[in-house]
Amino acid sequence: MHIFKSLIVMVFALSFCQVSAQAVKIIPEPESIVYGEGVFKLGTQTKVIASPELENEADFLVGILESGFGSKPKTAKKGKGIVLQFDNSLLESMGEEGYSLSVTSGGVNISAATPAGVFYGIQSFRQLLPQDFEFVNCEGVEIPVLDISDSPRFPWRAFMLDESRHFKGMAEVKKLLDQMALLKLNTFHWHLTDDQGWRIEIKKYPKLTEVGGKRKDTQTSFRSEERTGVPHEGFYTQEQIKEVIAYAADRHITIVPEIEMPGHAMAAVAAYPWLGSLGTTTEVSEIFGKMDDSFRISDPEVVSFLKDVLDEVMALFPGEVIHVGGDEVNLKPWEESEDVQAFMKAKDLNSPVDLQIYFTNEISSYVDAAGKRMMGWNDIMGDDIHEEREGQDTKVEQELAKSAIVHFWKGDLKLITRAVQDGYDVVNSNHWDTYLDYTFKRTPLSKSYAFNPIPEGLDEKYHHHILGLGTQMWSEWIPEVSQMQRQVFPRLAIYAEVGWTQLENKDFDRFSESLESLKTRWKLEGINYYDGE
């Protein structure tokens, strides 16, 4: 009998997980961690305490604990355990996304001024648990006594997925949203239209997906004549879009849709050829790069078409920002079109660049009138960032609407300085630092980690105009999910820390040690990640 009792004690001891203070590794690194003495014993009897206003956050935490313990913890409005609560006094010191996490021997308290802050506190608490906690049943966990005070450096912390080039599907998008939530990324930039595919249902124009959502073949590599020999297709219905939006919202992630205009438009033009500038586009492009055709924006009917599309997009997406692309427009068809040239003369537009800004401002006003805000790649300012425009003396006379958000991706960093000095808000996604399709040789992990969204030397009085950063998963040459994951992970964690952690708290060696814990989680989740430097 005594032997049997000893075995029971031994099994319990082996299944009781312990986390030492030295093992606490949270990504992104919190602003402040202060360690105390002792531990809190988290077990199956621990309750989750929350008010009805925090039901979503409480449910999320309950799901985590249920995964680890194999049984659903009880919830209550009052009592001891893991307490989730509002503290309005934290708004001034920590902002809308900051939180306080306190672990004592008697329980856990997560406080914030908003549900988002409470949610981020839960994500840090989640990383206090063993990384395999949610995958193998555990009798209990000993968590060190500590206090965390934390808030993000930037309000805009984005990950972009390009599904126009290679459609991944809702299940994969949800998996990415789960990882974004763990890492406190708050913006999912969804690139849904381009030359190679239209991926969002527009009810007024069904051919956009019936025709534009399919291509006959796909180029295998840059400038190659080789093709895969396999058709590619896929799109999201509006009901599916709503499901993804709700899934993201539960994780405090806002979705910013990108609907490309006036360039990167050939999938739409293939569906409705009258939209195009060339009059020759009848098929969705199977090659990648800067394409020839674009929307014929001198035609009021084409502009009305784009506004109709935006009406349905803006009705679907509750977030404030609508991204319209605006990059890499081939200007030659406009220069060679008599109709376009006549329109430009009538509107006193000096160049095709002025025409694009004129059009972009009309779209910006339309988006503004709907209570939202337009965003576009920095080409929308008329920036001279492409080789074929370098050295030209044509002066750009049109000025971009001040309400627009400039998404910097290419060009001299002085363009960012110019933009913020002119009063524009900027998201910095400099391609050399943030593009996930680039090789790890070209952009090693240390280079990604060293990225600072605020350009060196920028006067501090303009820093508030740098909203944050985005990291982009372009998918031209990355058709498979496993390939995509290897490009995204672990860099997603790097950019999460770039966006959240205060500059003085960044340390690549410390980060690399913390990353090993996340790799354990990714391995258990079946996520393919790059394991080099």
Side-chain angles (χ1 to χ4, degrees), residues 318-533:
E320 179 189 8
V321 178
I322 302 294
H323 203 301
V324 298
D327 60 310
E328 297 184 318
V329 180
N330 192 325
L331 305 177
K332 189 174 181 180
W334 294 349
E335 292 171 335
E336 296 178 348
S337 168
E338 293 182 5
D339 290 342
V340 173
Q341 290 299 310
F343 179 85
M344 289 171 55
K345 186 175 181 180
K347 298 296 182 180
D348 197 25
L349 299 172
N350 188 47
S351 68
V353 177
D354 285 306
L355 172 62
Q356 181 180 349
I357 298 174
Y358 175 89
F359 160 78
T360 302
N361 285 345
E362 183 174 356
I363 295 300
S364 179
S365 296
Y366 194 74
V367 172
D368 287 348
K372 296 184 183 291
R373 194 174 179 191
M374 189 201 74
M375 181 177 190
W377 303 106
N378 57 293
D379 307 50
I380 63 175
M381 295 188 70
D383 291 338
D384 186 18
I385 64 175
H386 298 297
E387 292 180 3
E388 61 268 30
R389 279 157 53 185
E390 287 183 358
Q392 293 187 6
D393 296 327
T394 303
K395 183 179 179 181
V396 177
E397 296 180 345
Q398 292 288 303
E399 183 179 63
L400 179 69
K402 293 298 184 183
S403 60
I405 299 173
V406 176
H407 197 172
F408 180 81
W409 75 283
K410 188 176 183 181
D412 194 307
L413 289 176
K414 292 178 182 177
L415 296 173
I416 296 180
T417 300
R418 192 194 85 191
V420 297
Q421 287 176 342
D422 288 346
Y424 294 100
D425 287 335
V426 172
V427 171
N428 191 349
S429 290
N430 185 24
H431 68 113
W432 291 118
D433 297 298
T434 69
Y435 275 23
L436 296 170
D437 54 316
Y438 289 178
T439 66
F440 291 94
K441 182 178 180 180
R442 190 178 193 182
T443 312
L445 300 186
S446 57
K447 177 178 171 61
S448 295
Y449 191 83
F451 175 56
N452 186 353
I454 296 178
E456 185 177 355
L458 181 66
D459 194 310
E460 191 171 347
K461 67 182 178 181
Y462 298 118
H463 285 194
H464 69 282
H465 279 303
I466 306 295
L467 301 182
L469 78 152
T471 181
Q472 290 66 231
M473 182 64 260
W474 298 107
S475 69
E476 287 95 330
W477 318 113
I478 303 171
E480 302 299 329
V481 169
S482 61
Q483 292 175 295
M484 176 194 73
Q485 290 178 345
R486 189 177 182 275
Q487 295 299 119
V488 170
F489 299 96
R491 290 193 284 202
L492 191 71
I494 288 177
Y495 294 113
E497 186 147 311
V498 169
W500 182 281
T501 301
Q502 300 301 321
L503 203 58
E504 61 270 20
N505 289 338
K506 287 181 64 182
D507 183 305
F508 185 63
D509 290 336
R510 185 266 312 149
F511 171 85
S512 299
E513 291 180 13
S514 299
L515 190 59
E516 294 305 312
S517 296
L518 270 184
K519 288 178 180 178
T520 298
R521 170 183 287 273
W522 291 334
K523 192 173 295 183
L524 290 165
E525 290 185 293
I527 291 175
N528 185 28
Y529 60 86
Y530 172 73
D531 202 21
E533 298 180 352

Side-chain angles (χ1 to χ4, degrees), residues 144-160:
V145 169
L146 52 76
D147 285 294
I148 295 175
S149 297
D150 200 12
S151 60
R153 183 183 179 203
F154 295 104
W156 188 288
R157 306 178 304 280
F159 165 72
M160 189 213 80

Side-chain angles (χ1 to χ4, degrees), residues 40 81-82 102-109:
F40 168 64
I82 305 176
S102 177
V103 180
T104 68
S105 59
V108 177
N109 188 293

